[in-house]
Amino acid sequence: MKLTELSARQIRYYEEQKLIFPKRNEGKTRQFSLNDIDRLLEIKEMLDASFTIKEIHKQFNKEGKPEQVSDEKIRIALYEDMMRESGLHGRH
DNA sequence: CTTCTTACA
DNA sequence: TGTAAGAA
């Protein structure tokens, strides 16, 4: 709520409309990822621009997901950067 | 005290 | 959307 300036009502409603997918703690409280926050901010802007929930869905379906960057890929990338900087090459 | 859901306005 | 109610 603080980061997006949105009310709890709005955030919960957007989740209901499947615009965001917060994870849950033991199926209870919502855990918002940075991506959820970004999405909420975009939703907020689009709504100000008079977009409908439906149109926002289309927008998200198009823009995004040529490739999902997994934590594992990020971990490997960081490892390779470290090897490069230390002058030691070779994968793994 | 806080979040969650449901339901009414 | 806001807010009241009641559960957790």
Side-chain angles (χ1 to χ4, degrees):
Chain A
M1 288 175 74
K2 291 180 179 177
L3 272 39
T4 63
E5 297 293 307
L6 292 168
S7 66
R9 183 73 174 79
Q10 290 175 296
I11 296 174
R12 290 169 184 150
Y13 180 67
Y14 303 151
E15 175 189 40
E16 201 176 340
Q17 299 306 302
K18 306 194 320 185
L19 285 173
I20 56 176
F21 316 92
K23 293 183 179 178
R24 300 278 187 132
N25 279 324
E26 331 299 325
K28 295 184 178 180
T29 65
R30 280 166 257 255
Q31 303 180 113
F32 297 88
S33 68
L34 295 180
N35 284 312
D36 289 321
I37 303 299
D38 284 334
R39 298 193 57 134
L40 284 172
L41 290 173
E42 289 182 31
I43 292 170
K44 183 186 176 188
E45 292 179 1
M46 294 179 78
L47 253 31
D48 285 327
S50 296
F51 276 75
T52 63
I53 298 294
K54 212 169 189 176
E55 294 174 314
I56 295 177
H57 264 111
K58 292 183 180 180
Q59 179 66 33
F60 285 151
N61 288 327
K62 292 181 181 178
E63 72 174 55
K65 29 187 171 182
E67 174 186 0
Q68 210 204 330
V69 182
S70 66
D71 288 344
E72 179 63 1
K73 285 187 177 179
I74 292 176
R75 194 176 68 65
I76 293 174
L78 289 174
Y79 176 76
E80 294 183 343
D81 279 345
M82 183 184 83
M83 292 303 274
R84 219 171 298 125
E85 289 172 38
S86 67
L88 305 173
H89 284 235
R91 315 263 150 170
H92 298 177

